Amino acid sequence: MMPSLFIAHGAPLLAIEDNEYTRFLKKLAAELPKPKAVVMFSAHWESSVQQVSDVDEFGTIYDFGGFPRELYEIQYPAKGAKVITEEIKGLFASEGIPFEVNTSRGLDHGAWVVLRMLYPNADIPVVSMSVNQHLTPAEQYKIGRSLSSLREQDVMIIASGGTVHNLRAVGWERDGKVNDQWAVDFDEWVGKHLVSWDTEKLFDYYTIAPNAEFAVPRYGKEHFIPLFYAMGAAGDTKQAMLLHRSYRYGNLSHSVWQFG
């Protein structure tokens, strides 16, 4: 059965960098079974109603500014996966999950930076999915859980975001230096409860996790919540394993979790 994954997409520059994390991601695909399609939840696609893509081929969205020209020349023309889209529509309908089909949106950098590291040839069909930070963690988990049967059909579910993603706290000049303890403590708390599959505590993370207000600022929960979609997609097995964790700029986390 295919795993589901939570993968931090970091800063857009990752797309053209060679570092510990990019090398890890490039190796990861070789260590996992090759999927027939990927269902991709991205922190950079927010909507009040769950969106499901239905396209023939994705355009590449450059949802950032002020970076080197090289970034804006990258193309990731992944094909859509219409059969999987139809199956998702049926799964959502059976679970009473409201959704809308989107036939025009391309892949934002939260999606294509990660996918390009894993599958540089853009040869794996993709269904792109939105996230909604205004849902409860239990509701986000339920959306992921409703898709768990896809994993039995060689479909990989990936959620892209970041467990610690507070751009007002990053120290751009501190790259490669000492990491902030508050970020490490928060990540370790999250990790402990992922491994034990303690959804009760995880769903209440903002109240009880150490330093949650710094790690997941109220204006930016969209990067943390993809974790619940990925976790829910493996709610049938309830197994979590940390594959990678590192930091940039003092506290911007690069965590990769495998579920199932």
Side-chain angles (χ1 to χ4, degrees):
M1 183 181 291
M2 279 287 166
S4 65
L5 299 170
F6 173 82
I7 302 179
H9 61 252
L13 282 172
L14 274 182
I16 56 174
E17 289 180 328
D18 177 27
N19 56 44
E20 173 192 6
Y21 187 48
T22 61
R23 289 191 291 272
F24 168 80
L25 290 179
K26 289 174 180 178
K27 288 177 54 181
L28 179 60
E31 298 170 355
L32 295 170
K34 187 174 182 178
K36 73 175 185 181
V38 169
V39 175
M40 169 64 79
F41 289 91
S42 173
H44 285 275
W45 188 6
E46 290 191 80
S47 65
S48 58
V49 177
Q50 179 64 53
Q51 300 289 305
V52 185
S53 72
D54 186 4
V55 302
D56 293 319
E57 182 176 296
F58 288 95
T60 306
I61 301 174
Y62 308 102
D63 49 336
F64 44 75
F67 290 97
R69 176 182 292 274
E70 184 180 357
L71 268 180
Y72 303 92
E73 295 174 347
I74 292 174
Q75 298 284 323
Y76 193 80
K79 304 295 185 183
K82 289 179 175 289
V83 172
I84 305 302
T85 293
E86 288 300 313
E87 190 152 359
I88 290 172
K89 288 162 62 177
L91 292 170
F92 282 164
S94 67
E95 292 292 329
I97 296 171
F99 68 92
E100 295 174 350
V101 175
N102 187 294
T103 60
S104 61
R105 192 178 190 276
L107 294 175
D108 57 68
H109 84 272
W112 64 258
V113 168
V114 169
L115 289 170
R116 185 169 171 267
M117 294 285 180
L118 298 175
Y119 308 110
N121 296 323
D123 55 352
I124 305 296
V126 175
V127 178
S128 185
M129 309 282 278
S130 66
V131 300
N132 183 356
Q133 66 173 309
H134 301 295
L135 296 178
T136 66
E139 290 170 326
Q140 294 152 358
Y141 182 96
K142 178 183 176 181
I143 290 172
R145 183 72 177 86
S146 72
L147 304 178
S148 62
S149 63
L150 295 177
R151 296 170 47 236
E152 300 173 2
Q153 303 173 44
D154 295 331
V155 175
M156 184 177 291
I157 298 170
I158 301 176
S160 167
T163 52
V164 181
H165 190 277
N166 184 345
L167 295 184
R168 296 179 184 175
V170 298
W172 301 107
E173 74 290 350
R174 293 192 291 128
D175 195 20
K177 298 179 181 178
V178 177
N179 299 319
D180 291 327
Q181 192 61 45
W182 61 262
V184 175
D185 289 346
F186 176 80
D187 259 345
E188 290 182 347
W189 183 94
V190 171
K192 172 184 175 181
H193 296 295
L194 285 174
V195 170
S196 63
W197 212 271
D198 190 341
T199 54
E200 181 178 355
K201 287 189 172 62
L202 285 167
F203 290 173
D204 197 27
Y205 76 95
Y206 207 84
T207 302
I208 60 178
N211 311 307
E213 70 276 15
F214 295 110
V216 188
R218 291 191 181 274
Y219 65 84
K221 293 182 181 180
E222 77 285 342
H223 277 76
F224 183 75
I225 62 169
L227 188 70
F228 295 125
Y229 293 87
M231 187 184 187
D236 51 345
T237 57
K238 299 183 179 180
Q239 296 176 335
M241 179 169 57
L242 180 64
L243 302 184
H244 178 91
R245 179 185 291 151
S246 58
Y247 297 88
R248 298 289 297 276
Y249 318 117
N251 53 60
L252 185 66
S253 70
H254 290 162
S255 295
V256 179
W257 282 91
Q258 177 176 320
F259 301 105

